[in-house]
Amino acid sequence: MQELTSAQKVEKIINQIAEEENLDGAAAKTQLHKFVCQGKCNWYQSRKPPERFDKLDLTEQQKENIWKIVSQVMKGTTKDEAKKEIHSVI
């Protein structure tokens, strides 16, 4: 079986977040971006409200759920490595 590309992994993660949280794809992608970015990237810093994340307001439960999905899709990757790989795709 061929390993998934980074983009395919991110797409799979977004789809799983959308399914588990009952969100559309855009909202799931925003949650994932909040999880990996924490407000540090140029995209985030260059936006004005409301395009900018209102707050980096993920609950601890949401963070745990997202990490659970990420760790299942990106087996054998540390949290920091996964965040960097995901952020480079997003």
Side-chain angles (χ1 to χ4, degrees):
M1 186 167 84
Q2 192 173 2
E3 187 173 331
L4 297 176
T5 65
S6 294
Q8 290 169 324
K9 290 175 189 176
V10 170
E11 183 177 339
K12 186 172 183 173
I13 292 165
I14 290 169
N15 290 338
Q16 285 187 278
I17 292 170
E19 184 177 317
E20 289 189 19
E21 297 290 327
N22 196 27
L23 301 170
D24 64 28
K29 183 177 180 181
T30 297
Q31 275 200 2
L32 181 59
H33 193 187
K34 286 179 180 183
F35 176 75
V36 301
C37 174
Q38 301 171 331
K40 298 175 185 171
C41 74
N42 289 337
W43 181 92
Y44 175 83
Q45 293 172 359
S46 68
R47 298 301 190 263
K48 303 275 189 250
E51 283 183 305
R52 181 182 280 193
F53 303 143
D54 290 336
K55 291 186 251 171
L56 296 172
D57 59 355
L58 296 177
T59 66
E60 287 304 314
Q61 186 63 53
Q62 287 171 313
K63 291 176 189 176
E64 288 175 24
N65 291 344
I66 293 170
W67 173 239
K68 180 180 159 196
I69 293 167
V70 169
S71 64
Q72 289 171 352
V73 173
M74 302 178 84
K75 290 180 176 80
T77 306
T78 69
K79 188 179 269 189
D80 285 340
E81 291 169 339
K83 285 182 174 186
K84 286 178 187 174
E85 185 174 344
I86 292 166
H87 208 212
S88 71
V89 172
I90 291 178

